[in-house]
Amino acid sequence: MSLWGGRFEEAPDELLWKYTVDTSDRRMLLDDLTGSLAHVTMLERVGVLTGEDGTALRNGLEQIMAEARDEKFIFLESDEDVHSAVERRLGELIGDVAGKLHTARSRNDQVALDLRLYMRRVAADRIGQLESFALTLADAAERVGETVVATYTHMQQGQAVPLAHHLLAYAWMLQRDRSRFGDLLQRLDESPLGAGAGGGTSLEIDPEVSASLLGFAAVFDNSIDAVASRDLVAEYVFVAAQAAVTLSRLAEDLLLWATTEYGWASYLDRHTTGSSAMPQKKNPDMAELARGRAATLVGDVTSILTLQKGLPMAYNRDLQEDKRLLFHADDTLAGTLAALQAMIAGAAFHPPEPSSWVGALDLAEALTSRGVPFREAHHIVGRLVVELSASAKTLAEADLISLRAVDARFESGDLDRILPGDSVRHRTGRGGGSHESVAIQIAKIRQSLT
Ligand code: ARG
């Protein structure tokens, strides 16, 4: 049964029904009921509903709430959407007075409200997951101790850094992903309830009352904006997509690290899959799917933006599609966070020493520290690289004689700062790849999150 039969001479075609009905919004059932309860209380307080009607409606809604909580609420094929399902069930429970629920309300402000309530709820879940993930990275950083790896630029070994420093880079990225959800929560803190179909109502209602009952700090200023805008859904999808993209980069690292060629990490058997053909295989599929699914969130961002771009004011049914995008983006992010966090918590890290060439910049900086212009020092060390390579040597095999053959200003102590472990120990700058900086970062992350 639809909510709008009166002006029609025939029942909706099955074709129309199948094409237009949305079942994806059923997961907003509790949010819908929460909104309706606040709406009824407001209507009663301002005197639009009698106390008797208000009580009847509230009792019915609370009964449906209990059914929903026990997962006993039954949706029917004839329910056009979650809002229709609730009104239908309310009628079954309390009779004709159920028809008063929709006083001074439209599904347009109702769905805008449900979306805000839903996003407020799941954003808090995602924030919790992101915090927990950052702590798992801090634990992993502590676990790997003073293990040193190379940074890579252009996929070539660059400088020596603690592996912990590399892991913590992701913790900071995820901290920002978390703070984006926090920023969004502030903008979500405004109730659209009372905007009605888009033009407001002639009934004497007070949207401030329902807003405060629902814990919103503010109320809409423009009823058209309140029902027709979906920028906050788009923002949610983007924030989720950015977090998924952060995780996709991490997934790519996890995949590279598990290759025979890198050999930096291995993952628990229970977090990997096998091959149906090659018995030796142990595949990090969760990381691959994290990377693959990030692509689908990028698609969600494109879709939610495109969904809005040609829409005239105010509500258009196109907007129904926003929910699938939101749910898909958020569910996928939630799953990816759980999967990668488990992989990292169970990972063993065992990277080989980086090549000694990663000390080249340190050697140039040794010259720079005694007044040689950096550009000249860079050139001198470049020549040394050529000389050593010509005699099939690496930086680890250089001695003071080979250094001085290139430039007389090299000193014997310079050789103490080029091997990867020494290079890291000589690093001093704030936030750089040193063990001191790693300890500060771990403490800072833990302090901000626990
Ligand atoms: N299911 C609809 C949606 O998500 C609810 C709003 C319907 N409003 C309407 N005027 N048909 O957009």
Side-chain angles (χ1 to χ4, degrees):
M1 260 293 289
S2 73
L3 300 171
W4 37 260
R7 65 94 60 223
F8 292 85
E9 304 290 352
E10 56 176 357
D13 196 325
E14 204 187 320
L15 182 82
L16 169 124
W17 205 249
K18 282 215 168 107
Y19 192 68
T20 58
V21 161
D22 185 20
T23 54
S24 76
D25 66 0
R26 292 179 179 183
R27 61 164 79 198
M28 301 196 307
L29 177 58
L30 285 173
D31 305 295
D32 197 74
L33 289 162
T34 303
S36 286
L37 277 164
H39 184 63
V40 167
T41 304
M42 180 277 288
L43 290 176
E44 193 185 328
R45 262 194 220 169
V46 297
V48 170
L49 281 183
T50 63
E52 197 185 331
D53 286 347
T55 305
L57 288 164
R58 240 191 328 274
N59 287 344
L61 288 168
E62 259 150 21
Q63 196 171 332
I64 301 175
M65 188 80 104
E67 291 175 0
R69 288 224 169 90
D70 297 343
E71 293 181 16
K72 291 209 174 94
F73 184 89
I74 297 167
F75 286 94
L76 304 180
E77 263 184 45
S78 51
D79 295 329
E80 193 178 18
D81 49 28
V82 67
H83 327 295
S84 316
V86 168
E87 218 175 301
R88 186 257 310 149
R89 180 68 185 136
L90 194 60
E92 290 164 8
L93 291 171
I94 65 171
D96 286 349
V97 65
K100 297 199 175 183
L101 174 64
H102 220 45
T103 308
R105 193 176 68 169
S106 153
R107 282 182 295 168
N108 297 351
D109 60 344
Q110 195 177 356
V111 72
L113 173 69
D114 291 3
L115 277 166
R116 282 183 189 249
L117 293 174
Y118 184 88
M119 289 192 281
R120 200 167 72 169
R121 201 155 55 77
V122 291
D125 290 347
R126 246 35 83 219
I127 286 172
Q129 275 190 295
L130 285 160
E131 289 176 350
S132 166
F133 203 123
L135 288 173
T136 293
L137 284 165
D139 291 346
E142 189 166 69
R143 203 163 76 233
V144 300
E146 302 207 339
T147 308
V148 170
V149 295
T151 58
Y152 285 76
T153 62
H154 315 273
M155 289 296 281
Q156 306 291 315
Q157 293 199 349
Q159 292 174 272
V161 287
L163 171 58
H165 195 55
H166 190 145
L167 291 168
L168 290 170
Y170 286 111
W172 293 112
M173 289 168 80
L174 291 169
Q175 288 270 58
R176 282 194 300 282
D177 291 328
R178 159 184 171 265
S179 78
R180 270 187 280 272
F181 277 110
D183 297 343
L184 173 57
L185 277 174
Q186 289 179 25
R187 275 183 290 286
L188 283 172
D189 203 8
E190 185 181 298
S191 173
L193 191 60
T201 173
S202 62
L203 298 167
E204 291 274 326
I205 62 165
D206 187 353
E208 302 264 357
V209 173
S210 38
S212 91
L213 286 169
L214 292 165
F216 285 106
V219 176
F220 66 95
D221 288 302
N222 181 304
S223 57
I224 294 178
D225 173 41
V227 302
S229 299
R230 291 296 183 273
D231 54 298
L232 296 180
V233 179
E235 188 175 349
Y236 194 107
V237 174
F238 163 73
V239 169
Q242 178 55 60
V245 165
T246 303
L247 294 171
S248 182
R249 293 187 70 169
L250 171 59
E252 172 64 7
D253 265 347
L254 295 178
L255 290 164
L256 283 174
W257 295 352
T259 58
T260 308
E261 290 72 14
Y262 262 79
W264 283 28
S266 31
Y267 311 115
L268 293 177
D269 277 6
R270 65 171 180 270
H271 292 154
T272 48
T273 61
S275 156
S276 62
M278 298 163 281
Q280 85 282 12
K281 293 295 293 293
K282 185 172 157 182
N283 297 328
D285 287 23
M286 291 206 291
E288 289 169 274
L289 285 167
R291 201 176 47 182
R293 289 186 185 151
T296 68
L297 272 94
V298 174
D300 294 336
V301 174
T302 308
S303 298
I304 190 74
L305 291 174
T306 314
L307 186 65
Q308 299 169 77
K309 73 174 274 297
L311 285 190
M313 285 302 191
Y315 177 83
N316 296 273
R317 189 70 181 267
D318 314 40
L319 291 176
Q320 182 165 286
E321 297 303 304
D322 62 354
K323 282 170 283 302
R324 281 176 218 280
L325 300 168
L326 171 67
F327 301 153
H328 174 266
D330 187 56
D331 292 350
T332 309
L333 174 62
T336 301
L337 282 164
L340 293 193
Q341 186 178 356
M343 271 182 88
I344 287 169
F349 297 98
H350 37 66
E353 272 258 296
S355 117
S356 62
W357 294 119
V358 296
L361 173 56
D362 300 289
L363 202 52
E365 285 182 349
L367 289 175
T368 307
S369 69
R370 59 185 81 102
V372 180
F374 178 74
R375 192 50 54 222
E376 190 187 342
H378 183 286
H379 186 80
I380 292 165
V381 177
R383 294 313 307 160
L384 178 69
V385 171
V386 171
E387 297 291 328
L388 289 168
S389 304
S391 43
K393 283 187 177 161
T394 66
L395 207 48
E397 293 158 291
D399 54 16
L400 191 57
I401 297 171
S402 50
L403 258 56
R404 288 240 164 106
V406 176
D407 194 282
R409 286 167 290 182
F410 279 118
E411 291 178 5
S412 63
D414 296 346
L415 291 167
D416 299 336
R417 55 195 287 170
I418 54 177
L419 292 184
D422 298 327
S423 155
V424 165
R425 267 185 288 281
H426 277 84
R427 190 110 2 96
T428 49
R430 181 202 155 96
S434 68
H435 302 308
E436 294 71 34
S437 144
V438 161
I440 292 168
Q441 293 177 63
I442 292 175
K444 204 168 166 185
I445 287 166
R446 286 187 176 150
Q447 200 188 353
S448 69
L449 295 180
T450 46

